[in-house]
Amino acid sequence: MEDVVGSLRWTAADARDFLGSLLESVPSLANADPFDRGGWLGAAAALLITLVVVRSLYRSDAETAVPYTVETPPQCAADWDGEILEEPQLKISGSSAIQCYCPANGKLLGTFNAATPAAIDRALSKAAEAQKDWVKTTFAQRRKVLRTLLRYILENQEAISTAACLDSGKTRIDSSFGEILVTVEKLKWTILHGEKALTPERRPTSFLMAYKVNEVRWEPLGVVTACVSWNYPFHNLLGPIISAIFSGNGIVVKGSEATAWSSTYFTDIVRSALRACGHSPQLVQSIMCWPNVASHLTSHTGSSHLTFIGSRKVAQAVAASAAKSLTPVCVELGGKDAAIVLDDVKNLKKVASILLRGVFQSGGQNCIGIERVIVCSGIYDELIYLVYPKIKALRIGSALEDGDGVDVGAMISALSFDKLEKLIADAVSDGAQCLVGGSRYHHPEHPKGHYFSPTLLVGVTPEMRIAQEETFAPIFLVMKAKDVDEAIRIANSTEYGLGASVFGSNKRNLDKVVDASRTGMISVNDFAVYYAVQLPFGGVKGSGYGRFAGEEGLRSLCNTKAVCRDRFPGWISTGIPPALDYPIPHVQKAWEMCQGIVELGYGESLRRQTKGLLRLIRNG
């Protein structure tokens, strides 16, 4: 009812007219015949409906999204034609500034001053000051900010997509799935379910503590921080912000220097939503700095929690830095996600299409992207037959310049190309077959862009390096398994354990894979859908620890406070028996009484509990 009424945007006069007609349409309580049961029931129903509608109107008005505007960067204009850098790179010789450029074509997007330790101190201080007022807000006020932000995103999808495509090189389709859809899903989930996740919970008590009421609360930590990766510049930035502000915290986010240009615009979108709703935009801070300065943020005593999204090597340094201030850390470190395709798949063509999306989404630069396709031998050849022509036909280019002729966008940089080519070459020399691609792609229209050819590599075995190391690239890697058990062994053979997928029709086999998968997440007959429903996100082993998203994610940004109070204040409360009161008058009797308390409260049988009660009586 609330969502329906809220979406109508009624005026006060509209509401009065509606309520008046509603009351007139059924007998009123005043005019109802006291002996007319139907009249009384109708009048009661009318009153109930009226109260529900009034409450809904009040609540929806209090949380209605506020329209606002944010200046779109000129680079997002259709006719923008930036300078093409001779050598596209983030660093400028002789300067500490960050040089941002479009990886699809090498065009300069702008330069930004990298944050200093003093700038990081100021950002944390501003967020902390703003949080003093924000912590006093109600969930309804926080929902209003999120609804305002949601409305803005829905109405400005093209500008947001364009900025994400310019800064990361992805396609529009990739930006819709990986940037916008998952962000509005997180917003919608938090709006609908966030308060429930953070509402204090009653917990059970024990026999001895039956006179107590137990409660768990989730209270804001203060200011939290996040260091996020470049592969999804919009979503990775907004995800931690949404959870932080709804749970009552301020936040400082360090985005990747590779996407510093769009991060400035995206942060302004959030801060403008706060301002439009009457709150301080200083609650959300965004900084960009070089790695040698980042440790000042990760070890800062002003941070109450740190979320890190990135590589394992950097995470080890981040965790060591955070340990200096005992800051709790949630780390998400990517993976080598496997998709297991069992022999009994009913529609292999459909599965093939899902696998292609899972591999080539964002050019393979996806932490939960499919890095290994493990296929049971009965359908191994058929699957290769289905995907080969599709991969061969994939078109590479700049999504914003090449129109409808692009399936796979650019890579964020060319730094990994030498390693990728060597991994593929080594696999081929060890017996694998590269049927499509296998090397960097020199785009004739965008010679300064960073492109890697969509690749189909088959016959890969677990011993090959490419089967063990994360590639983060558009590589469709196929491995053969003789049966379900071998498929599971192959899937679990890496140091990673983030996500996985399994496709099949036999429930027993599907459950077997789910139970045996050493990962933090798994989709059955689908790819990565756990992220589209706000289940807790995170992995095991070398893929990190901790969870964000869902109830677990919100609660991780809070102080979990246990509260125990008297059930009947003033009537029943704890008192120290004379036999146990200091100074203890008789130690042996006190010891006997302690044993009686334990046996009465925790005896495994009625006989032992009775024995405990008698001890209490004798020694009390």
Side-chain angles (χ1 to χ4, degrees):
M1 173 67 78
E2 178 181 349
D3 288 338
V4 174
V5 175
S7 67
L8 296 177
R9 302 178 191 169
W10 286 354
T11 64
D14 293 330
R16 285 194 298 271
D17 290 344
F18 170 77
L19 293 175
S21 63
L22 179 65
L23 289 170
E24 291 172 2
S25 65
V26 294
S28 69
L29 284 171
N31 298 324
D33 183 340
F35 299 101
D36 181 2
R37 184 180 179 187
W40 275 97
L41 288 175
L47 179 60
L48 178 61
I49 293 172
T50 301
L51 292 173
V52 170
V53 172
V54 169
R55 182 172 180 269
S56 297
L57 287 169
Y58 172 77
R59 290 185 62 189
S60 62
D61 180 64
E63 299 181 19
T64 298
V66 179
Y68 70 97
T69 59
V70 176
E71 184 178 356
T72 303
Q75 294 91 332
C76 292
D79 59 352
W80 177 73
D81 189 20
E83 170 196 356
I84 298 178
L85 298 172
E86 185 60 32
E87 293 186 19
Q89 57 185 1
L90 296 174
K91 291 189 175 182
I92 304 172
S93 179
S95 171
S96 62
I98 300 170
Q99 178 174 257
C100 301
Y101 66 92
C102 176
N105 53 32
K107 291 183 179 180
L108 177 66
L109 292 171
T111 57
F112 296 84
N113 291 325
T116 62
I120 292 173
D121 291 341
R122 288 193 296 272
L124 283 159
S125 179
K126 289 177 181 178
E129 188 62 30
Q131 195 266 345
K132 292 177 182 177
D133 289 329
W134 180 252
V135 73
K136 301 172 187 175
T137 57
T138 64
F139 285 122
Q141 289 173 304
R142 298 173 195 175
R143 275 194 297 269
K144 182 170 185 172
V145 173
L146 297 194
R147 289 184 193 276
T148 297
L149 180 57
L150 173 63
R151 174 177 170 176
Y152 182 89
I153 295 171
L154 293 173
E155 293 177 349
N156 293 272
Q157 294 183 61
E158 187 160 344
I160 293 168
S161 168
T162 299
C165 291
L166 281 170
D167 218 7
S168 66
K170 59 170 53 73
T171 68
R172 280 214 184 275
I173 304 300
D174 290 342
S175 74
S176 181
F177 282 136
E179 304 277 16
I180 297 171
L181 185 149
V182 289
T183 301
V184 295
E185 156 61 26
K186 188 177 186 73
L187 280 166
K188 194 71 172 180
W189 183 93
T190 307
I191 290 167
L192 295 176
H193 308 293
E195 181 175 358
K196 177 180 178 292
L198 298 180
T199 298
E201 285 184 357
R202 291 284 290 270
R203 295 293 173 87
T205 191
S206 66
F207 174 69
L208 292 180
M209 294 290 112
Y211 65 101
K212 297 290 185 180
V213 174
N214 307 319
E215 181 182 82
V216 176
R217 297 179 179 180
W218 290 274
E219 299 178 348
L221 288 172
V223 175
V224 299
T225 53
C227 297
V228 298
S229 57
W230 46 261
N231 55 330
Y232 290 106
F234 181 66
H235 177 67
N236 284 352
L237 186 81
L238 263 70
I241 292 174
I242 293 166
S243 295
I245 65 176
F246 190 81
S247 54
N249 297 296
I251 184 169
V252 178
V253 185
K254 178 205 167 298
S256 168
E257 57 271 25
T259 51
W261 172 77
S262 63
S263 294
T264 303
Y265 169 47
F266 296 150
T267 303
D268 197 23
I269 290 174
V270 180
R271 299 181 76 179
S272 296
L274 284 163
R275 187 184 296 110
C277 294
H279 305 289
S280 172
Q282 301 299 333
L283 185 71
V284 174
Q285 299 287 323
S286 175
I287 61 168
M288 304 296 157
C289 65
W290 294 110
N292 64 322
V293 178
S295 61
H296 188 75
L297 175 66
T298 55
S299 64
H300 207 289
T301 55
S303 170
S304 299
H305 182 279
L306 171 64
T307 299
F308 175 81
I309 303 174
S311 70
R312 185 176 182 179
K313 180 179 179 181
V314 177
Q316 290 170 332
V318 168
S321 176
K324 296 176 183 177
S325 55
L326 296 180
T327 302
V329 183
C330 170
V331 291
E332 189 272 285
L333 309 178
K336 193 70 179 173
D337 288 14
I340 296 176
V341 186
L342 304 178
D343 279 335
D344 57 2
V345 164
K346 290 184 177 179
N347 189 337
L348 190 58
K349 184 178 180 181
K350 178 180 177 180
V351 171
S353 292
I354 295 174
L355 295 173
L356 288 166
R357 169 55 58 185
V359 171
F360 295 109
Q361 164 74 22
S362 289
Q365 300 165 115
N366 186 5
C367 56
I368 49 173
I370 296 174
E371 292 245 345
R372 296 172 296 156
V373 181
I374 303 170
V375 191
C376 286
S377 56
I379 55 171
Y380 178 84
D381 293 334
E382 185 181 356
L383 179 64
I384 294 173
Y385 175 80
L386 285 172
V387 300
Y388 170 76
K390 287 181 173 289
I391 297 173
K392 195 172 181 62
L394 290 176
R395 300 159 297 177
I396 315 167
S398 171
L400 302 180
E401 296 174 296
D402 300 336
D404 293 333
V406 177
D407 299 303
V408 180
M411 304 287 280
I412 194 68
S413 78
L415 294 177
S416 65
F417 289 179
D418 288 343
K419 176 186 176 181
L420 292 173
E421 288 175 342
K422 187 173 191 319
L423 286 173
I424 294 169
D426 287 350
V428 170
S429 68
D430 289 339
Q433 292 178 282
C434 185
L435 303 182
V436 182
S439 63
R440 69 194 75 196
Y441 177 71
H442 300 282
H443 202 292
E445 301 297 325
H446 313 293
K448 299 300 182 179
H450 309 313
Y451 295 96
F452 199 87
S453 299
T455 297
L456 174 58
L457 187 67
V458 305
V460 176
T461 60
E463 296 76 23
M464 298 177 184
R465 280 184 60 205
I466 199 167
Q468 297 295 319
E469 298 182 20
E470 184 179 32
T471 59
F472 229 54
I475 301 174
F476 196 107
L477 184 156
V478 189
M479 308 174 76
K480 182 188 289 189
K482 64 182 180 181
D483 55 27
V484 178
D485 290 332
E486 185 176 39
I488 292 170
R489 283 195 297 272
I490 294 172
N492 288 333
S493 66
T494 74
E495 64 181 3
Y496 297 99
L498 188 57
S501 300
V502 58
F503 298 85
S505 59
N506 184 294
K507 186 178 184 303
R508 179 177 296 179
N509 286 336
L510 291 173
D511 288 345
K512 186 175 186 178
V513 174
V514 169
D515 293 343
S517 176
R518 295 205 296 272
T519 60
M521 306 164 290
I522 187 167
S523 293
V524 179
N525 285 316
D526 215 323
F527 156 68
V529 287
Y530 40 75
Y531 202 54
V533 292
Q534 287 301 295
L535 288 175
F537 187 95
V540 296
K541 299 194 293 184
S543 290
Y545 51 85
R547 296 293 184 269
F548 55 83
E551 290 189 4
E552 291 78 4
L554 277 179
R555 291 175 175 179
S556 72
L557 300 179
C558 297
N559 169 38
T560 302
K561 179 182 285 185
V563 181
C564 187
R565 66 178 79 230
D566 289 334
R567 187 182 299 273
F568 307 107
W571 291 84
I572 303 176
S573 61
T574 297
I576 304 298
L580 298 176
D581 201 8
Y582 287 119
I584 297 174
H586 194 292
V587 173
Q588 184 58 39
K589 288 190 70 173
W591 168 240
E592 288 288 332
M593 186 174 186
C594 287
Q595 291 184 80
I597 291 172
V598 172
E599 290 175 334
L600 174 62
Y602 305 100
E604 84 287 4
S605 65
L606 180 60
R607 180 180 178 182
R608 189 178 296 278
Q609 288 179 306
T610 303
K611 178 182 176 183
L613 178 60
L614 293 175
R615 280 198 187 200
L616 275 175
I617 294 173
R618 286 196 304 268
N619 297 282

